Amino acid sequence: MTGDDTNDGDHAHDHGDGYGEHDSAPNDPKVRARALQSLLVEKGVVTTDAVDAVVSAYEDDIGPLNGARVVARAWTDEAFRERLLESPSGTIADEFDFAMGIQHMQVVENTDDVHNVVVCTLCSCYPWAVLGLPPTWYKSPEYRSRVVREPRTVLEEFGLELDDDTDVRVWDSSSEVRYMVLPQRPPGTEGMTEAELAGIVDRDSMIGVGTVTVES
Amino acid sequence: MTTDESAEGSSSTPSDSLDDDVGRVLEDLQSAGLVGGDDDRPVFDAPWQARAFGLAVTLHREGRYEWPAFQQRLVEEVDAEPPDPTGDRDAATREATYYRQWLTALERLVVEEGILSAATIEERATEFADGTRDASEFVDGEHGHGHDHEHHHDH
């Protein structure tokens, strides 16, 4: 990832890195970052490979795909689903290769009668290990206050129409408990494999501001 | 929101697992309300931001400092220039501001820990800024295979 501004010695390119133009100021963050890495590599304190590995771990290994895999397994493996609802952290740690950041998780299941939605009214606690980084709106004061006060209206704004008799439950996350919604498996997915199912589960459905749908 | 550093979310002890270390760092940043990144945008808006992130975490993993020491300085930098509460600046600008603060925090810590001197950093930055030095130089030193003009665009 950082490769593209370490190897392009002479040309400016579309990332606006601009160092090839020789007109940057020494206090330009691009220049500062470059200077720091240059010196630290030279002194043998870090290697470029180690720095790049951290970046790709951040970009590729942590994200909503993890949550989608959990949901897909719960849809296809009844015993896993039961254990997941019972004790999410241990169950995920047992069956998946990501273990960090799930210690305080709780999974709430959508059914025909109940729709769950997650918020953090205090700040922006979020199960990032399974959902990646929180979207901007999740952190907005508006969402945080309104979804508690008028969840149906907020969900409608997200394009989610719920039956009047559906019970809407709002879960307030904290540093002690991070909630993830287990969405309902949509009809028409009976023939799909676990991996295919993971591909249709999106972030919003696991926050509860959306449902999982299949394109027909 | 927790201040309990003994909890399993604490990042003070680097492990063998890179994902776990990055995860702990994110956990700590998030607890302090310091996570960057927005919506469906790429996590990093420019290579220098990825570099700033990667360097700070790598130095911590190499045992050069405890993560809370970095985070403390990041908090100070963010507090000195808080994000626009009205949120009307665009996401890319917010992201750039965040990583600029991140970088300043990192530079301060690197100097305080005696890893590099402020003067050395200044001198090197000036060399990059005026073009005396370009990127290929340290990439060569790092890999030593003379492939400085190879491109590794991965997007």
Side-chain angles (χ1 to χ4, degrees):
Chain A
M1 163 71 218
T2 53
D4 58 1
D5 74 338
T6 52
N7 293 312
D8 265 351
D10 291 329
H11 0 261
H13 55 85
D14 59 5
H15 283 291
D17 221 26
Y19 57 85
E21 295 156 5
H22 302 171
D23 57 1
S24 320
N27 64 357
D28 184 328
K30 299 184 277 281
V31 167
R32 309 300 298 186
R34 177 173 299 282
L36 272 181
Q37 183 163 356
S38 162
L39 288 164
L40 292 168
V41 167
E42 203 169 273
K43 288 193 70 167
V45 178
V46 303
T47 66
T48 299
D49 288 348
V51 174
D52 287 350
V54 165
V55 171
S56 68
Y58 184 38
E59 291 191 316
D60 304 332
D61 299 346
I62 292 165
L65 182 62
N66 286 342
R69 287 163 63 203
V70 171
V71 168
R73 184 152 313 167
W75 284 348
T76 52
D77 180 341
E78 178 56 24
F80 174 81
R81 187 189 70 89
E82 281 169 20
R83 279 184 291 129
L84 178 71
L85 294 171
E86 181 86 9
S87 109
S89 305
T91 304
I92 292 173
D94 284 348
E95 299 221 10
F96 291 92
D97 54 4
F98 52 93
M100 255 330 284
I102 57 170
Q103 288 84 1
H104 310 291
M105 263 186 66
Q106 191 168 325
V107 177
V108 289
E109 185 182 30
N110 286 350
T111 65
D112 289 339
D113 307 316
V114 177
H115 182 87
N116 298 287
V117 60
V118 177
V119 65
C120 175
T121 54
L122 275 179
C123 48
S124 56
C125 292
Y126 189 76
W128 55 265
V130 281
L131 297 190
L133 296 171
T136 317
W137 53 259
Y138 185 85
K139 298 181 275 189
S140 72
E142 242 184 291
Y143 175 75
R144 285 156 45 197
S145 59
R146 288 188 56 225
V147 77
V148 176
R149 229 171 37 236
E150 40 178 8
R152 278 173 186 278
T153 312
V154 171
L155 292 176
E156 270 168 35
E157 289 165 18
F158 274 97
L160 193 59
E161 305 275 351
L162 297 170
D163 291 342
D164 286 345
D165 51 1
T166 301
D167 183 12
V168 178
R169 295 184 189 159
V170 181
W171 300 87
D172 191 359
S173 305
S174 67
S175 54
E176 281 77 39
V177 193
R178 310 260 165 95
Y179 296 97
M180 171 186 143
V181 174
L182 174 57
Q184 282 190 288
R185 180 172 177 168
T189 58
E190 292 73 17
M192 290 173 81
T193 65
E194 187 180 324
E196 286 168 342
L197 289 167
I200 61 169
V201 179
D202 66 3
R203 182 195 63 203
D204 286 2
S205 71
M206 294 182 281
I207 300 177
V209 296
T211 54
V212 181
T213 51
V214 271
E215 288 156 28
S216 50
Chain B
M1 299 296 285
T2 180
T3 51
D4 181 5
E5 290 297 342
S6 67
E8 57 270 63
S10 169
S11 60
S12 47
T13 316
S15 71
D16 291 336
S17 161
L18 177 56
D19 285 359
D20 281 4
D21 285 348
V22 173
R24 282 194 191 87
V25 159
L26 283 185
E27 178 89 339
D28 282 6
L29 286 168
Q30 187 185 49
S31 296
L34 284 169
V35 172
D38 262 321
D39 238 334
D40 296 321
R41 302 167 45 74
V43 177
F44 301 110
D45 207 53
W48 69 265
Q49 296 172 4
R51 184 188 298 283
F53 179 85
L55 282 172
V57 176
T58 305
L59 285 169
H60 158 59
R61 295 195 82 223
E62 294 293 333
R64 294 296 175 143
Y65 47 72
E66 303 281 303
W67 186 253
F70 170 75
Q71 204 157 294
Q72 172 58 36
R73 283 155 188 80
L74 178 57
V75 168
E76 288 164 11
E77 293 302 324
V78 171
D79 284 352
E81 186 194 355
D84 188 344
T86 63
D88 58 359
R89 289 187 304 169
D90 67 274
T93 309
R94 280 198 302 274
E95 198 68 356
T97 302
Y98 173 74
Y99 280 108
R100 187 165 43 71
Q101 293 165 335
W102 178 289
L103 203 50
T104 307
L106 177 60
E107 233 180 83
R108 281 174 54 201
L109 185 55
V110 161
V111 170
E112 285 168 40
E113 291 293 322
I115 303 167
L116 297 172
S117 78
T120 312
I121 299 172
E122 211 53 56
E123 189 187 336
R124 185 62 55 102
T126 305
E127 288 171 7
F128 277 116
D130 67 17
T132 315
R133 192 177 272 268
D134 72 29
S136 57
E137 193 170 327
F138 75 85
V139 172
D140 268 355
E142 167 63 13
H143 296 287
H145 304 306
H147 59 192
D148 50 318
H149 292 294
E150 247 176 47
H151 290 232
H152 291 283
H153 290 243
D154 51 5
H155 46 249

